[in-house]
Amino acid sequence: MDIKIEKSWKEALKLEFSTDYFQQIPAHIKTEKSQGKTIYPPGSLIFNAFNTTALQKVKVVILGQDPYHGRGQAHGLCFSVQNGVPPPPSLLNIFKELQNDIGITIPDHGNLTKWAEQGVFLLNASLTVRAGEPMSHSKIGWSTFTDAVIKTISSKKKNIVFLLWGKFAQEKRVLIDESKHCILRSVHPSPLSAYGGFFGCKHFSKTNEYLVSKGIDPIDWSL
């Protein structure tokens, strides 16, 4: 597994990289690959969220569960798909809420790299998955690592907006110091739950209102 990671993250997380549990993650992936299993995203993109959004640049955190498990979809940014891949239903619902909230036209692609480049840290709790098997790497150590990432952001930064969509993401609330960060919660944007409170949550405008109130440049949510 390719563990090339941006220097600010490498420094902040160096203790995690040296732990026994973390050392077992690439070993597990290597074993699965030797058994002929396909792992997403490709190795060079596993840490894409970190390499696109340096720690000092983070303004907003969106938390997903694990990468898309279909061919060519995942590229290391939660909810995002690579160019040429149709936006999945949850992402389409995110775009619908964006349109309703701040009037942005629904884009014809699902690549969220532009958000990441502005400081929206698009973190999945698991950074890899077996093809066609959702949550297949949820217990190989990634959640321990990404919990440490959330705690690191909480402790080292201030005035970050955490968007916690759905029960899984909201369980991470305990890792965040609410006295110095903003937490916005709603149901998940999936078709199963979006009408139960995601539509109408106005998280995109609320995020920018909070950032501006703290003297931080807002996010341009257009793609």
Side-chain angles (χ1 to χ4, degrees), residues 21-68:
Y21 87 81
F22 190 88
Q23 301 294 321
Q24 291 168 5
I25 297 173
H28 185 102
I29 291 171
K30 189 175 180 181
T31 297
E32 290 199 353
K33 284 186 172 180
S34 72
Q35 295 168 346
K37 293 183 169 40
T38 299
I39 309 298
Y40 296 131
S44 62
L45 293 175
I46 289 172
F47 292 101
N48 192 20
F50 300 83
N51 292 328
T52 309
T53 314
L55 177 57
Q56 64 268 25
K57 298 272 185 73
V58 175
K59 300 178 182 180
V60 180
V61 177
I62 298 179
L63 188 66
Q65 273 188 272
D66 68 338
Y68 294 120

Side-chain angles (χ1 to χ4, degrees), residues 40-174:
Y40 296 131
S44 62
L45 293 175
I46 289 172
F47 292 101
N48 192 20
F50 300 83
N51 292 328
T52 309
T53 314
L55 177 57
Q56 64 268 25
K57 298 272 185 73
V58 175
K59 300 178 182 180
V60 180
V61 177
I62 298 179
L63 188 66
Q65 273 188 272
D66 68 338
Y68 294 120
H69 52 87
R71 184 178 179 185
Q73 291 181 304
H75 64 130
L77 305 176
C78 77
F79 290 106
S80 182
V81 289
Q82 301 197 61
N83 289 328
V85 176
S90 291
L91 182 54
L92 277 176
N93 285 340
I94 290 170
F95 290 158
K96 287 174 185 175
E97 175 57 23
L98 253 178
Q99 185 177 47
N100 292 333
D101 184 8
I102 51 180
I104 284 176
T105 302
I106 294 176
D108 59 2
H109 66 90
N111 190 329
L112 305 182
T113 299
K114 184 181 171 186
W115 293 1
E117 290 171 345
Q118 295 179 76
V120 182
F121 187 52
L122 298 167
L123 178 67
N124 275 315
S126 296
L127 300 188
T128 56
V129 69
R130 284 196 301 271
E133 298 182 53
M135 302 301 290
S136 48
H137 283 180
S138 62
K139 294 184 169 62
I140 70 169
W142 281 130
S143 59
T144 303
F145 174 70
T146 53
D147 280 0
V149 170
I150 295 168
K151 284 191 263 191
T152 296
I153 296 170
S154 177
S155 65
K156 291 184 177 292
K157 304 276 290 181
K158 64 177 182 178
N159 302 330
I160 302 296
V161 181
F162 289 85
L163 302 181
L164 304 183
W165 297 335
K167 182 174 179 289
F168 175 85
Q170 289 177 30
E171 288 172 352
K172 305 297 184 181
R173 184 178 181 179
V174 296

Side-chain angles (χ1 to χ4, degrees), residues 146-214:
T146 53
D147 280 0
V149 170
I150 295 168
K151 284 191 263 191
T152 296
I153 296 170
S154 177
S155 65
K156 291 184 177 292
K157 304 276 290 181
K158 64 177 182 178
N159 302 330
I160 302 296
V161 181
F162 289 85
L163 302 181
L164 304 183
W165 297 335
K167 182 174 179 289
F168 175 85
Q170 289 177 30
E171 288 172 352
K172 305 297 184 181
R173 184 178 181 179
V174 296
L175 307 172
I176 303 162
D177 182 349
E178 295 189 55
S179 70
K180 61 175 185 168
H181 300 293
C182 173
I183 296 177
L184 298 177
R185 296 178 296 153
S186 89
V187 299
H188 196 275
S190 88
L192 297 174
S193 56
Y195 286 96
F198 181 77
F199 291 138
C201 70
K202 299 191 179 297
H203 279 185
F204 303 101
S205 59
K206 288 177 180 176
T207 292
N208 280 350
E209 286 164 10
Y210 176 83
L211 293 175
V212 170
S213 78
K214 300 298 181 182

